[in-house]
Amino acid sequence: MPLILGLETSCDETAAAVVEDGWLVRSNIIASQHALHECYGGVVPEIASRAHLERLSPVVHEAVATTGISLADIDAIAVGNRPGLIGSLLVGVSAAKALAWSLGKPLIGVDHVKAHLYASQLQPADGVAANPKSEIRAPKFPCLGLVVSGGHTSLYAVASSTQMHLLGKTIDDAVGEAYDKAAVILRMGYPGGPKLDRLAQTGDASAHDLPRSLLAKDSLNFSYSGLKTALLYKVRGQPQERGGKTHFQRDASDLTDTQRANLAAAFQAAAIDTLIIKLDRALDAMITAGQPARAVLIGGGVSANSLLRRRAVELAARRSIPLGLPAMAYCLDNAAMIAGLAYQYHTQGRHDDLTLPAIATTSC
Ligand code: KG4
Ligand code: ZN
């Protein structure tokens, strides 16, 4: 029963976790940097990497100490080495190398995007009694995978936990990025996704008809910039050019609470509708290709979204297909998903050496 220590520092969460056998989460510690970046309305890379440097050591110690084991009991050290902010990734990768070298343990680099798709297989150690045999703990492949985060909106034909083929992706904004920008337009603060989701639940989505960008008839790509601009014009009115400058008629502070909630609900309905329509298209495309999906796996920060979760459950029931949705604790960036996926490489004897690079882009 291998124990893997995972580290995650790709963006603005400093995280460490201990996972047993690739699924049982013994600890999952996350130090969020949201308070540091809030006043800038987004992540400032240099502030993020410095904060990782200060926080990683205590976070690793807490992740190990809360399991009641010592570092010597760990079987391998895993780290998210791609994709992400390069300075932030370097902190985690350097720390993982130092730990692996000093403890004489194998080192395993993990792609953060693949790890998001693995997250639905994780269960907290104290939750096992409540849910001992999740059908999704060992999904049957091939699966259809959807990664929805601040940086990615991508569909994959998933051949195994470590091998996937890109079917389609966003041609402009990622859906999480669109949520964050929509929250700025509605003056809701950072990070906007969870706040907009909460407000949307109190509004009436039918109050506004916002566009669903479906692109070409069979396209599996996404586009979110049109939805964002449509929301901007609903909130601020049509822009007018005067003296070489763009002027808007009003802004979000002129809206009543009900108007803001209705706009949030209409945005959420359009954003999530698009994801569900493309999931349906991709399931059909895999059938046409003679490789029907045997499960749908969803991961990434937006998999925490209340409407996506509800509509994904409906889709899975309608298409009679098992659905892997991460527990809420494993939707947003975390190190348990890194340690979990690393177990698959570990059992195949696929380890990295101390030349493991930090890479800004995903491998899939
Ligand atoms: O996976 P993640 O933690 O980081 C990246 O890899 O990007 O995803 C963060 C993104 C942010 O854009 C955040 O606003 C969005 O996920 N997000 C949500 C919700 N919770 C987080 N978007 C919509 N609804 C939510 N409940
Ligand atoms: Zn992520």
Side-chain angles (χ1 to χ4, degrees), residues 10-11 13 112 116 148-152 175-177 179-180 191-194 197 268 300-302 304-306 331-333:
S10 65
C11 191
E13 323 281 357
H112 178 102
H116 270 310
V148 277
S149 70
H152 293 86
V175 60
E177 186 184 359
Y179 262 90
D180 294 334
D197 182 11
Q268 172 133 301
V302 183
N305 183 270
S306 59
C331 291
L332 285 123
D333 287 351

Side-chain angles (χ1 to χ4, degrees), residues 251-329:
D251 85 6
S253 53
D254 298 321
L255 299 173
T256 64
D257 288 349
T258 307
Q259 286 171 327
R260 284 173 85 240
N262 289 350
L263 283 161
F267 173 88
Q268 172 133 301
I272 302 304
D273 228 15
T274 310
L275 296 176
I276 299 296
I277 291 168
K278 297 287 166 134
L279 277 171
D280 259 319
R281 274 190 192 174
L283 285 170
D284 292 341
M286 287 181 75
I287 292 170
T288 306
Q291 298 256 298
R294 301 174 77 190
V296 174
L297 306 176
I298 303 182
V302 183
S303 64
N305 183 270
S306 59
L307 184 60
L308 175 57
R309 295 178 82 86
R310 203 168 65 236
R311 299 237 11 226
V313 169
E314 285 165 13
L315 171 134
R318 174 166 49 79
R319 304 222 30 161
S320 304
I321 192 165
L323 170 68
L325 266 180
M328 290 300 270

Side-chain angles (χ1 to χ4, degrees), residues 62-287:
E62 193 180 339
V64 174
T66 53
T67 60
I69 58 166
S70 77
L71 271 174
D73 301 320
I74 298 288
D75 293 284
I77 311 291
V79 61
N81 73 313
R82 67 188 306 177
L85 301 169
I86 197 70
S88 293
L89 288 168
L90 278 168
V91 177
V93 169
S94 307
K97 287 179 182 174
L99 279 165
W101 179 77
S102 60
L103 296 166
K105 307 285 182 186
L107 172 70
I108 303 166
V110 169
D111 189 303
H112 178 102
V113 173
K114 288 183 178 170
H116 270 310
L117 275 189
Y118 189 83
S120 60
Q121 298 183 48
L122 301 171
Q123 285 188 38
D126 55 8
V128 176
N131 187 12
K133 273 210 184 77
S134 151
E135 66 174 338
I136 213 70
R137 209 173 79 203
K140 295 195 174 69
F141 295 100
C143 300
L144 172 63
L146 173 69
V147 176
V148 277
S149 70
H152 293 86
T153 305
S154 305
L155 284 163
Y156 297 96
V158 183
S160 73
S161 295
T162 57
Q163 288 174 300
M164 47 202 70
H165 163 74
L166 185 67
L167 297 173
K169 63 177 183 170
T170 180
I171 58 169
D172 41 55
D173 292 350
V175 60
E177 186 184 359
Y179 262 90
D180 294 334
K181 289 177 176 169
V184 170
I185 293 169
L186 289 167
R187 299 214 175 184
M188 303 184 67
Y190 167 88
K195 290 182 181 168
L196 203 150
D197 182 11
R198 270 195 300 279
L199 181 64
Q201 291 173 53
T202 68
D204 172 10
S206 67
H208 301 278
D209 191 17
L210 291 177
R212 279 89 171 134
S213 298
L214 302 178
L215 304 170
K217 189 171 148 285
D218 297 322
S219 173
L220 297 178
N221 288 330
F222 300 88
S223 168
Y224 277 102
S225 65
L227 173 59
K228 177 192 64 189
T229 307
L231 177 73
L232 178 73
Y233 291 175
K234 288 267 186 211
V235 171
R236 304 193 65 184
Q238 286 292 329
Q240 284 155 8
E241 296 294 326
R242 256 183 283 129
K245 286 194 175 156
T246 306
H247 294 269
F248 285 97
Q249 297 156 8
R250 51 182 190 268
D251 85 6
S253 53
D254 298 321
L255 299 173
T256 64
D257 288 349
T258 307
Q259 286 171 327
R260 284 173 85 240
N262 289 350
L263 283 161
F267 173 88
Q268 172 133 301
I272 302 304
D273 228 15
T274 310
L275 296 176
I276 299 296
I277 291 168
K278 297 287 166 134
L279 277 171
D280 259 319
R281 274 190 192 174
L283 285 170
D284 292 341
M286 287 181 75
I287 292 170

